[in-house]
Amino acid sequence: MDERRKIQYELAFAGEVGGEAPRAPEEGIESTAAGLGTESLANTGNLIEEACEKGNLKEALRRVKANAGAAGVDGMTVKELSEFLRENWPRLKEQLLTGTYKPQPVRRVEIPKSGGGTRKLGIPTVVDRFVQQAVLQVLQERWDPTFSEHSYGFRPGRSAHQAVEKAQEYIQQGYDWVVDLDLEKFFDRVNHDVLMSRAARRISDKRMLKLIRGFLNSGVMEHGLVGPTEEGTPQGGPLSPLLSNLLLDDLDRELEQRGHRFVRYADDCNIYVKSERAGQRVMEGVKRFLTRKLRLKVNDSKSAVARPKDRKFLGFSFTSGETVRRRIAPKAIERFKERIRELTRRTRGISIEQMIGELRLYMIGWRGYFGFCETPSILRDLDMWTRRRLRCVIWKQWKRGKARFKELRSRGIGKDLAAKTAGSAHGPWRLSSSKALHCALPNAFFDSLGFPSLAT
């Protein structure tokens, strides 16, 4: 057996037939996954010139401005970019065309993750973001049509909702066990040599390859010091999502070759099978493939073979039974409540109008995404809970019995009921569901302040 066949045999992992994963393929059977979905190297020798074309640059500048974002290590803002390019573009273009452009280090920023911990972002300078965007537009136009139909993340015309809907379709078909894969610190652990080998399959322009390698190795500034970046594709730059899809396209092709039903959104990958036994085999096979071929690691503590109703995918989960429905995952509901609690803290010292203005921004975005669920009762419950939270806030703002009595009376509450409620020993949360507060602060009151409903 030649070396190539030997490696492919060792990396092969179990697929699924009729709900059970078959054993490893017979010796000598060669996977063709690596050759699928790639483009010829022909016509890729002048990609830098394409990136520097006027129309491409104008679009890149428009998108960088639209995305805004923080300044990088040089402190230059997006507003200053146009003027800088007017004065310096000839020099930058010459550097790009001659392969001497050198990206600056990214600025390290840590943001809290929804599930706890922090996510490390690398913020490039605005000039580097502009160059990355120009490169992205050229490469994405060529590469995206070659990517797997099972890949949904960071791709034009594709969305998380489509990924969730496809997962639901598989479950409805009877593939009601899921191999839920979590790649450990994926964006921080990408091996540069492995990634660049994938890029070299598609690009003959050595200047473009050098530029991509330069962005990967640009370094990171943290606490005033610049350190090397020997692995990873820093989240924060326009090019990083495309490069992640390029690397994980190998995984997609291998899963397709084995006949699996799967959905991948960036580094979130769910494979749907018909039995727990099949799932365990697939899990072990995928781990071997990722470790040996892509040098990536599966996070065992966050990965599992389970029923879809017990896992979450892109913030959603699924009901069991004859008809599978999309529902909001419990963790997503809890994160929603945590955010509402933060925005409605009494100690913030802002008016109810300001508070509702901030809530509006968050809730419209949240509803736009999670309104895709098929369990409207959850949305109604959250809508009622949020309005109750606001009644609680207002009750606290009224502070004492006299003021509370006066406010209730001014809102049409009878004298006896107003006195009984204002003098109650119960806490604000319990009173927020009382008849007096519901009548004094009806839904119409919050609607008049621009409060959006989750239930409509």
Side-chain angles (χ1 to χ4, degrees):
M1 183 188 302
D2 63 37
E3 185 64 17
R4 183 183 176 196
R5 286 173 181 260
K6 181 180 178 182
I7 291 173
Q8 287 173 331
Y9 173 70
E10 290 176 345
L11 294 177
F13 57 88
E16 181 200 4
V17 177
E20 292 297 321
R23 303 297 180 184
E26 292 297 322
E27 191 171 1
I29 296 178
E30 179 175 339
S31 169
T32 60
L36 295 174
T38 60
E39 62 168 327
S40 168
L41 288 178
N43 302 320
T44 64
N46 294 306
L47 293 179
I48 289 291
E49 280 78 7
E50 290 185 31
C52 292
E53 287 180 357
K54 185 176 180 180
N56 188 59
L57 295 173
K58 288 178 67 175
E59 177 62 13
L61 181 60
R62 184 190 70 79
R63 294 195 182 187
V64 170
K65 286 183 174 180
N67 291 333
V73 295
D74 62 356
M76 184 187 301
T77 65
V78 172
K79 291 182 179 179
E80 299 171 296
L81 179 59
S82 295
E83 183 62 30
F84 177 86
L85 291 176
R86 272 193 288 270
E87 297 177 5
N88 295 276
W89 175 243
R91 174 178 59 84
L92 296 176
K93 181 178 179 181
E94 179 65 20
Q95 291 175 356
L96 289 168
L97 292 176
T98 58
T100 58
Y101 182 88
K102 187 176 181 181
Q104 296 188 64
V106 298
R107 182 170 64 87
R108 172 71 74 218
V109 174
E110 294 188 2
I111 61 172
K113 294 173 69 173
S114 57
T118 59
R119 174 177 285 110
K120 292 184 177 181
L121 301 184
I123 309 299
T125 64
V126 291
V127 175
D128 284 340
R129 292 211 292 273
F130 169 69
V131 174
Q132 284 195 36
Q133 182 64 42
V135 169
L136 169 67
Q137 290 164 189
V138 169
L139 296 182
Q140 188 168 59
E141 184 178 5
R142 291 171 176 268
W143 293 359
D144 192 77
T146 72
F147 288 154
S148 168
E149 65 175 308
H150 302 280
S151 167
Y152 292 85
F154 308 121
R155 298 184 61 189
R158 290 180 162 248
S159 68
H161 285 173
Q162 291 174 337
V164 171
E165 198 167 34
K166 192 64 178 179
Q168 180 183 10
E169 180 183 319
Y170 289 143
I171 300 166
Q172 188 67 63
Q173 290 171 357
Y175 296 87
D176 52 359
W177 284 88
V178 61
V179 181
D180 186 358
L181 292 171
D182 183 273
L183 298 181
E184 188 171 290
K185 298 182 178 179
F186 169 72
F187 287 95
D188 298 329
R189 298 277 177 84
V190 169
N191 182 281
H192 290 176
D193 291 335
V194 174
L195 176 57
M196 290 307 301
S197 73
R198 273 53 180 179
R201 292 176 184 174
R202 297 168 176 258
I203 297 173
S204 63
D205 190 333
K206 288 184 169 45
R207 298 165 301 170
M208 179 64 81
L209 291 171
K210 183 179 178 182
L211 180 60
I212 294 173
R213 173 75 79 165
F215 282 122
L216 294 174
N217 294 338
S218 63
V220 58
M221 177 176 284
E222 196 167 10
H223 307 303
L225 299 175
V226 176
T229 47
E230 298 174 349
E231 60 180 4
T233 58
Q235 297 181 75
L239 200 52
S240 181
L242 179 65
L243 294 178
S244 70
N245 273 334
L246 173 64
L247 181 64
L248 291 174
D249 191 57
D250 274 24
L251 173 62
D252 297 340
R253 296 305 173 182
E254 193 68 27
L255 293 173
E256 287 178 349
Q257 186 72 11
R258 299 299 164 182
H260 289 304
R261 279 96 177 149
F262 72 97
V263 181
R264 183 177 65 79
Y265 191 96
D267 57 332
D268 286 334
C269 184
N270 278 6
I271 307 166
Y272 294 90
V273 295
K274 286 190 173 180
S275 71
E276 184 176 14
R277 182 183 175 194
Q280 294 296 347
R281 288 182 184 172
V282 171
M283 176 69 85
E284 290 308 311
V286 172
K287 284 182 182 179
R288 287 195 301 271
F289 177 85
L290 290 169
T291 301
R292 298 179 186 180
K293 184 108 182 247
L294 300 184
R295 301 188 193 177
L296 297 171
K297 184 180 179 182
V298 172
N299 187 331
D300 290 329
S301 65
K302 294 184 178 180
S303 302
V305 176
R307 295 290 191 181
K309 68 181 179 65
D310 298 322
R311 306 296 292 178
K312 66 179 179 67
F313 181 53
L314 303 177
F316 290 91
S317 185
F318 303 94
T319 62
S320 56
E322 186 175 340
T323 301
V324 177
R325 293 184 298 164
R326 301 182 296 270
R327 65 185 180 94
I328 304 171
K331 285 187 178 180
I333 293 175
E334 186 52 42
R335 285 197 296 271
F336 171 83
K337 289 187 173 184
E338 286 174 4
R339 183 58 178 152
I340 296 299
R341 290 186 186 104
E342 289 174 6
L343 292 173
T344 57
R345 287 197 318 270
R346 180 186 180 187
T347 54
R348 297 191 65 206
I350 61 175
S351 68
I352 195 66
E353 289 80 10
Q354 288 175 288
M355 189 174 288
I356 287 179
E358 293 181 11
L359 284 170
R360 178 179 175 80
L361 291 175
Y362 173 70
M363 291 177 63
I364 287 177
W366 193 91
R367 183 182 65 191
Y369 184 76
F370 286 104
F372 188 60
C373 75
E374 295 176 314
T375 50
S377 61
I378 297 297
L379 295 177
R380 287 195 296 270
D381 290 346
L382 289 175
D383 189 76
M384 291 168 56
W385 179 87
T386 306
R387 292 173 190 271
R388 182 178 177 184
R389 179 80 186 174
L390 285 173
R391 292 186 181 98
C392 185
V393 168
I394 295 174
W395 186 249
K396 289 178 181 178
Q397 288 180 346
W398 290 345
K399 293 185 179 179
R400 302 191 181 280
K402 242 182 218 187
R404 288 170 174 173
F405 176 79
K406 183 178 178 181
E407 291 287 353
L408 290 173
R409 290 290 287 144
S410 70
R411 285 167 168 77
I413 305 302
K415 186 175 180 181
D416 290 343
L417 181 57
K420 181 180 178 182
T421 306
S424 173
H426 294 306
W429 180 247
R430 179 163 177 177
L431 289 174
S432 63
S433 63
S434 67
K435 179 181 177 181
L437 279 183
H438 266 274
C439 293
L441 301 170
N443 289 348
F445 167 74
F446 297 113
D447 294 343
S448 70
L449 295 179
F451 184 78
S453 173
L454 294 177
T456 56

